[in-house]
Amino acid sequence: MTRSFRTLLSATALITVAACTTAKQVPAPATPIVPDRPLGDGGVSAFYQPPATVPNTVGHMIRTERIQNLKLPETADHAERILYTSLSGVGHEDPVVVSGQVIFPKGTPPKGGWPVIAWEHGTTGIADVCAPSWRGYFSRDRAFLDHWLTAGFAIVASDYQGLGTPGAHPYLMYKPEAYSVLNGLRAALKQYPTQLRNRIVLVGQSQGGGAALGTGWMAPHYAPDLHILGVVATGVVTDFAIPANPKHPPLPRSNTETPHMAAAFDILTDEGSKQSLHPGQNMDTGMTDKGHDLSRQARQSCLGDLFRYTDSHDITIANMFTSGVTQNDPAYNQAFVIPDAHFKMPVWVGTGLADGEAGISQQYNAVAAMCDAGTHVTWVQYHGLTHNGAVNPSANDSVPFATNLLKGKLPQSTCHTLQPVGHEEDATPGIKWNN
């Protein structure tokens, strides 16, 4: 803003004040105060409330309703919101209620029903209002799901434990995510027996990429009744326990996300995962005023709003905690890291080489761990594409991977050509969502 423009604004303000002194002063309406939401609970409809007694049987459908108020993928016929039983993946494995949705393609189901994509969504937040079955999907994800619907897949999409339904959301913890997804599949297959077929591919992006891998790792021993053909994971956020002296040593972690973006992700871990692991503990201990403020925002806002908030209020990890506070939590590390990298089904991984959010070295490390463990892995890299930008182009490769699995064809593994990645690339301009 130039000095002359500031002067003009000041003069205009003085004239306005002078003119108002002779008129009756009308107070501005007060900004409504949104009440705090402990554990991120609230703000959704009664549909998400559990029954007084939660059935002990996992994968039991409690209720469904037609989704009327959300923008669906263009090739969807309709979608049903679902509420079902699962197990808590935190502490004692008690019964919990989880929400989600089923999206149906247009047309008549084939004999035996449509094959199923279990869509495992990326980070939305830890507040109930961030559940995709309530809030809807970003345009990027709607376009991506269109690829699968067009290919003849129905979509079963869990919100994950604690999103939409009461309780903390165990953000990035593979076991609660896996229980939520696998029991959602069980409930949907029983609810729609002529429309859905028990031939399933797990598909996820970002948080959901790690969730899809955790689900695939858990499925053979937890849910052998589900016929899971393979895993598709993009923008992967996960770690595997690495044995001593691996063939492909892990690369150092490298994230180039902004400090404000990092603060938004970190608060979700504190208010979601660590709150789940340490119920009743005040997670704000050791925080500055900026940290306290961001915690409250995380309990009622979703990821995009948190990014804007940390940016506009200059909140970073460095200034949201008091000095001397350690952020390391061994219980969280154990809940995040998948115990080994051997999978009994083929895995397809897509990585944008301009991904500054999940980090390309971390994604290499996940692929290398799986290859070293004997997993059949196909890794496709996309030059100049970011965490967001790689999602839809990846469908050109991942959908054929899945349809080949339906035909009994095993795609070629790329483990024999695996090479460490270099520095993150610059994003190619002019590509939709490639921010």
Side-chain angles (χ1 to χ4, degrees):
M1 185 182 294
T2 64
R3 180 180 298 274
S4 59
F5 192 41
R6 284 199 189 97
T7 304
L8 176 61
L9 286 177
S10 299
T12 304
L14 288 172
I15 293 170
T16 303
V17 170
C20 289
T21 55
T22 59
K24 183 179 180 180
Q25 299 294 312
V26 179
T31 302
I33 298 175
V34 178
D36 195 11
R37 292 174 174 155
L39 304 181
D41 286 344
V44 293
S45 71
F47 177 88
Y48 293 85
Q49 290 303 308
T53 302
V54 177
N56 287 320
T57 304
V58 297
H60 170 78
M61 190 71 77
I62 295 171
R63 66 180 73 105
T64 67
E65 68 177 13
R66 187 82 167 237
I67 294 179
Q68 304 283 2
N69 58 338
L70 299 180
K71 186 174 182 180
L72 300 177
E74 288 185 9
T75 52
D77 180 79
H78 69 283
E80 299 275 338
R81 190 173 284 123
I82 61 175
L83 191 73
Y84 59 92
T85 57
S86 185
L87 284 181
S88 173
V90 187
H92 297 292
E93 295 187 341
D94 297 323
V96 294
V97 171
V98 178
S99 59
Q101 60 186 299
V102 181
I103 307 175
F104 296 93
K106 293 177 180 177
T108 303
K111 184 178 180 180
W114 283 295
V116 173
I117 290 303
W119 169 240
E120 307 193 37
H121 66 80
T123 301
T124 59
I126 58 92
D128 283 351
V129 293
C130 306
S133 72
W134 173 255
R135 187 172 181 266
Y137 289 119
F138 300 115
S139 59
R140 180 204 72 185
D141 292 340
R142 288 198 306 273
F144 181 70
L145 295 178
D146 266 325
H147 291 286
W148 296 97
L149 292 164
T150 301
F153 289 89
I155 297 163
V156 177
S158 175
D159 290 329
Y160 308 143
Q161 179 180 333
L163 276 180
T165 52
H169 169 48
Y171 177 57
L172 295 179
M173 292 165 56
Y174 76 90
K175 187 177 286 188
E177 291 167 337
Y179 284 159
S180 296
V181 172
L182 295 169
N183 287 315
L185 288 165
R186 285 168 163 161
L189 288 169
K190 286 182 284 189
Q191 183 72 18
Y192 308 103
T194 63
Q195 296 168 279
L196 305 182
R197 189 177 182 188
N198 190 356
R199 287 171 65 77
I200 301 160
V201 179
L202 308 173
V203 181
Q205 154 70 9
S206 193
Q207 175 189 2
L213 290 170
T215 304
W217 186 81
M218 292 273 293
H221 53 91
Y222 176 70
D225 51 304
L226 298 175
H227 189 193
I228 294 175
L229 304 177
V231 179
V232 169
T234 58
V236 172
V237 178
T238 197
D239 274 340
F240 292 103
I242 306 295
N245 304 314
K247 179 180 177 181
H248 297 89
L251 299 176
R253 298 182 66 85
S254 60
N255 286 69
T256 56
E257 62 194 12
T258 69
H260 299 126
M261 182 181 288
F265 284 124
D266 192 80
I267 203 66
L268 298 181
T269 304
D270 278 8
E271 290 293 332
S273 308
K274 295 180 182 179
Q275 189 67 257
S276 299
L277 290 163
H278 310 291
Q281 181 174 322
N282 182 7
M283 303 314 299
D284 287 7
T285 300
M287 285 187 173
T288 64
D289 288 344
K290 284 181 179 285
H292 290 306
D293 187 26
L294 186 57
S295 284
R296 185 178 184 279
Q297 293 298 321
R299 293 191 290 268
Q300 54 195 313
S301 302
C302 300
L303 185 63
D305 290 328
L306 290 177
F307 284 160
R308 288 183 283 273
Y309 197 86
T310 54
D311 189 60
S312 63
H313 289 73
D314 188 28
I315 302 176
T316 66
I317 293 176
N319 66 27
M320 61 190 277
F321 296 103
T322 56
S323 60
V325 172
T326 176
Q327 287 301 291
N328 186 48
D329 185 339
Y332 170 70
N333 295 338
Q334 183 177 11
F336 173 70
V337 176
I338 300 173
D340 73 69
H342 178 69
F343 286 74
K344 295 184 177 180
M345 71 278 291
V347 175
W348 187 96
V349 176
T351 299
L353 293 179
D355 186 344
E357 290 186 42
I360 62 174
S361 63
Q362 290 90 299
Q363 295 182 65
Y364 164 82
N365 291 344
V367 170
M370 289 188 284
C371 287
D372 289 356
T375 301
H376 189 102
V377 184
T378 303
W379 188 28
V380 182
Q381 301 164 45
Y382 299 94
H383 290 286
L385 297 187
T386 64
H387 193 66
N388 290 323
V391 174
N392 277 279
S394 75
N396 296 325
D397 300 303
S398 60
V399 173
F401 168 84
T403 54
N404 279 330
L405 293 180
L406 289 174
K407 299 171 185 176
K409 298 179 181 179
L410 186 63
Q412 184 178 4
S413 170
T414 60
C415 286
H416 64 288
T417 62
L418 183 64
Q419 295 291 329
V421 293
H423 295 292
E424 175 192 324
E425 298 176 352
D426 292 332
T428 301
I431 298 175
K432 194 171 186 179
W433 300 297
N434 202 40
N435 57 332

